[in-house]
């Protein structure tokens, strides 16, 4: 039986493949590795990265609608509804009628949601530090700057 370490070492030969030089592949692989690590850590709070993202935006007090969450997170509206249903079920957020458009719902954190967010944020910071440990502080800042430039 092959161990994960042996398997990863065996795949090291692929780092010279043409695909391994393509930026979109590298971004996707990095995101996948980071999300998997964060999901493992967030499991202690019964959250995943997508839940964390929605909760973080709700706690930013921007009064975002479900549609805005969907657009910003680049998720299908049905995925946002499912995430909000789960967060609402655990008492972390609530949907309120948007005073700007009564047909829309804004997402608001509850007191329990703010507490959960604070714990989840600490977990995410630790996970990010681990995932980006090969980079110096200056490289981390540069990576963030470049990713923001591409993302927005």
């Amino acid at each position: 039986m092959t161990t994960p370490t042996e398997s990863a070492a065996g795949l090291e030969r692929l780092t010279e493949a043409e695909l391994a030089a393509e930026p979109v592949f590298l971004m996707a692989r990095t995101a996948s590795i980071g999300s998997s690590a964060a999901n493992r850590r967030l499991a202690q709070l019964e959250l995943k990265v997508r839940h964390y993202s929605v909760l973080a935006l709700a706690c930013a007090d921007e009064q975002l609608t479900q549609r805005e969450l969907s657009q910003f997170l680049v998720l299908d509206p049905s995925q946002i509804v499912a995430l909000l249903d789960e967060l609402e079920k655990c008492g972390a957020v609530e949907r309120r009628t948007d005073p700007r458009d009564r047909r829309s719902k804004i997402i608001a954190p509850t007191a329990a949601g703010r507490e959960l967010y604070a714990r989840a944020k600490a977990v995410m910071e630790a996970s990010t530090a681990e995932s980006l440990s090969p980079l110096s502080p200056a490289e981390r800042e540069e990576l963030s700057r470049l990713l923001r430039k591409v993302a927005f």
Side-chain angles (χ1 to χ4, degrees), residues 20-60:
E22 294 182 18
V24 171
F25 167 76
L26 291 169
M27 288 186 292
R29 181 171 165 80
T30 301
S32 194
I33 290 168
S35 291
S36 293
N39 282 337
R40 281 192 298 278
R41 287 177 178 248
L42 285 169
Q44 66 185 310
L45 300 174
E46 298 182 20
L47 295 174
K48 291 186 176 182
V49 171
R50 287 183 172 183
H51 295 105
Y52 172 79
S53 298
V54 170
L55 187 57
L57 289 170
C59 289

Side-chain angles (χ1 to χ4, degrees), residues 23-140:
V24 171
F25 167 76
L26 291 169
M27 288 186 292
R29 181 171 165 80
T30 301
S32 194
I33 290 168
S35 291
S36 293
N39 282 337
R40 281 192 298 278
R41 287 177 178 248
L42 285 169
Q44 66 185 310
L45 300 174
E46 298 182 20
L47 295 174
K48 291 186 176 182
V49 171
R50 287 183 172 183
H51 295 105
Y52 172 79
S53 298
V54 170
L55 187 57
L57 289 170
C59 289
D61 294 325
E62 293 293 329
Q63 297 197 350
L64 297 172
T65 65
Q66 291 180 197
R67 177 177 290 131
E68 290 169 326
L69 285 171
S70 173
Q71 291 169 340
F72 188 77
L73 296 174
V74 193
L75 293 174
D76 187 86
S78 65
Q79 292 172 303
I80 292 295
V81 168
L83 290 166
L84 287 170
D85 287 348
E86 292 169 12
L87 288 169
E88 199 169 42
K89 186 176 180 179
C90 76
V93 299
E94 57 188 20
R95 293 171 172 109
R96 297 180 183 161
T97 301
D98 184 349
R100 302 166 292 189
D101 179 353
R102 299 195 54 74
R103 297 167 294 172
S104 294
K105 300 290 183 190
I106 58 171
I107 309 311
T110 62
R114 288 187 187 282
E115 182 182 309
L116 178 60
Y117 170 64
R119 293 193 335 254
K121 184 172 176 32
V123 168
M124 288 297 290
E125 287 171 353
S127 185
T128 298
E130 182 181 329
S131 292
L132 298 181
S133 65
L135 303 178
S136 71
E139 288 172 325
R140 290 178 195 187

Side-chain angles (χ1 to χ4, degrees), residues 140-150:
R140 290 178 195 187
E141 284 182 32
E142 180 68 0
L143 177 63
S144 278
R145 187 187 69 74
L146 293 170
L147 289 172
R148 285 183 62 81
K149 189 174 183 176
V150 172

